[in-house]
Amino acid sequence: MVKSILSIALFGLSAGVVKAQDTLLVQGTTPALYISHVVKKGENFYSLSRAYGVPPKEIAAANKITMDHGLQLGHLLHIPLTNANFSQKADASGTPVYHKVSEKETLYRVSVNHNKVPLDNIRQWNSFQGDGLKKDSYIIVGYLKGGSGAAVAAPAPAPAPRKEVVKNEPKEQAPPVEPVTPPATEAPRKEVKKEAEARPVTDTPETTPAPAPAPKPAAPVVASGDFEKLYDQQTNGGKKATTEKGPGTWFKSNAVGKYYALHNTAARGTIIKVTNPLNGKAIYAKVLDVIPQMKSNAGLIVKLSDGAMQALGTTDARFYCELSYDN
């Protein structure tokens, strides 16, 4: 009788239900993202398909093996992350998929390497309050939808909320995305750095920068309240400000109400005051990262998130501007 019970129990344990690993860790970069799975006893292409929500043939193709070849116990497989089984929408649900932060990696770089997932989504999933990332920490970059029978993975501990710092205070984290506590309140939330919400940075067609005309009487300054206060703190009311003049351009961003910048010398988190000398309008933008070294970016002194375009009163793909910031 005892032997019969043990036999039934062992059979149940080896049955074909596949469990996703305890912590799903994303591998690769856009567009070839995947997670690794070690083949266990009783698993096959079809049980893995149900567990991870991806067709058996795609699993076989991703690992350069044929369906009739079968799976070997202990073999390491690549499970593709596609639109069918991987969601990076703000309201995504399922099993969290994590990324392990490398040294000096910024939130903006994490976004670019993982399908340009919106920075706000990463902040929301991880309850971030700042833009800094800690080496070897784990952050959620999306959710595995999974298929029928997929076990829910146990999420790794969410990174401790980080606090953004102004230059005069304990030095702020260098990376671009500011962890935000529940994205519900956006008031005191210090905005993103570098990648500032700038997700994918797309270069706009180049045009010859217009010569800088004599500045007109200052028009009302269009600015983001939080960034303007930070600028005053960082520059001691403008007394320590460094100025710079030259051509700038835009990158696409989903940021609303706040502006972000890419700049080659200002530290991440620095607030730059950008003035359009043609009409005197100005905005305050937070530095997320350096300007990518590309031919189309040659000679630029700044790249701003496209939301600043309207605030500065220009529609030119390339424009002349004046910068002021603490360096």
Side-chain angles (χ1 to χ4, degrees):
M1 179 69 175
V2 173
K3 289 184 178 179
S4 299
I5 294 174
L6 289 175
S7 298
I8 293 172
L10 289 174
F11 178 77
L13 288 174
S14 61
V17 176
V18 178
K19 286 195 173 184
Q21 298 159 37
D22 290 340
T23 298
L24 299 182
L25 192 63
V26 68
Q27 306 287 331
T29 57
T30 305
L33 299 178
Y34 65 90
I35 52 180
S36 296
H37 177 89
V38 178
V39 178
K40 300 177 183 63
K41 187 175 180 180
E43 293 180 346
N44 55 44
F45 284 111
Y46 296 97
S47 59
L48 290 176
S49 172
R50 291 191 297 273
Y52 291 106
V54 59
K57 290 184 179 179
E58 289 189 23
I59 297 176
N63 293 276
K64 298 180 180 178
I65 55 179
T66 58
M67 297 276 296
D68 54 6
H69 183 272
L71 298 177
Q72 294 183 338
L73 186 65
H75 184 65
L76 183 66
L77 294 179
H78 289 181
I79 307 296
L81 293 176
T82 67
N83 290 335
N85 69 341
F86 186 51
S87 176
Q88 293 179 294
K89 296 180 179 178
D91 59 352
S93 61
T95 303
V97 177
Y98 294 85
H99 165 72
K100 185 177 181 180
V101 178
S102 58
E103 188 170 5
K104 295 183 180 180
E105 188 171 26
T106 63
L107 201 58
Y108 174 72
R109 184 52 50 195
V110 171
S111 168
V112 171
N113 288 342
H114 297 86
N115 298 330
K116 298 179 181 177
V117 53
L119 300 178
D120 276 345
N121 292 2
I122 300 178
R123 296 193 201 99
Q124 176 181 326
W125 298 331
N126 296 278
S127 299
F128 281 172
Q129 292 177 331
D131 287 348
L133 295 178
K134 183 179 180 182
K135 180 179 180 292
D136 294 333
S137 62
Y138 291 81
I139 61 173
I140 299 173
V141 293
Y143 287 82
L144 181 73
K145 300 177 185 178
S148 57
V152 177
R162 287 176 182 284
K163 179 177 178 185
E164 179 177 7
V165 194
V166 183
K167 236 177 179 181
N168 298 335
E169 303 177 299
K171 191 80 173 167
E172 171 177 330
Q173 55 234 23
V177 167
E178 292 190 279
V180 177
T181 47
T185 37
E186 220 176 331
R189 160 175 147 196
K190 285 156 188 179
E191 229 31 47
V192 217
K193 224 168 228 213
K194 120 171 254 166
E195 349 217 44
E197 285 237 86
R199 231 157 286 181
V201 175
T202 47
D203 293 311
T204 50
E206 294 189 19
T207 56
T208 306
K216 297 183 180 180
V221 172
V222 180
S224 171
D226 289 348
F227 288 178
E228 184 175 2
K229 291 177 183 176
L230 284 175
Y231 170 82
D232 287 338
Q233 292 177 22
Q234 293 175 358
T235 62
N236 192 16
K239 295 177 182 178
K240 296 194 309 175
T242 296
T243 58
E244 190 176 356
K245 297 180 181 180
T249 187
W250 320 96
F251 63 82
K252 291 185 179 179
S253 166
N254 292 334
V256 178
K258 293 191 177 182
Y259 313 118
Y260 298 93
L262 302 182
H263 192 274
N264 286 332
T265 58
R268 295 181 185 124
T270 297
I271 306 301
I272 293 181
K273 180 179 180 181
V274 185
T275 303
N276 180 354
L278 293 174
N279 55 25
K281 290 185 177 181
I283 57 94
Y284 295 86
K286 185 174 185 178
V287 175
L288 299 176
D289 208 338
V290 297
I291 300 174
Q293 294 184 354
M294 302 169 63
K295 185 177 180 180
S296 59
N297 291 335
L300 295 177
I301 64 170
V302 71
K303 293 193 75 168
L304 297 173
S305 55
D306 51 6
M309 185 184 298
Q310 183 177 1
L312 286 174
T314 179
T315 57
D316 295 333
R318 200 158 178 154
F319 61 95
Y320 184 86
C321 62
E322 298 177 356
L323 308 182
S324 176
Y325 57 94
D326 175 27
N327 194 26

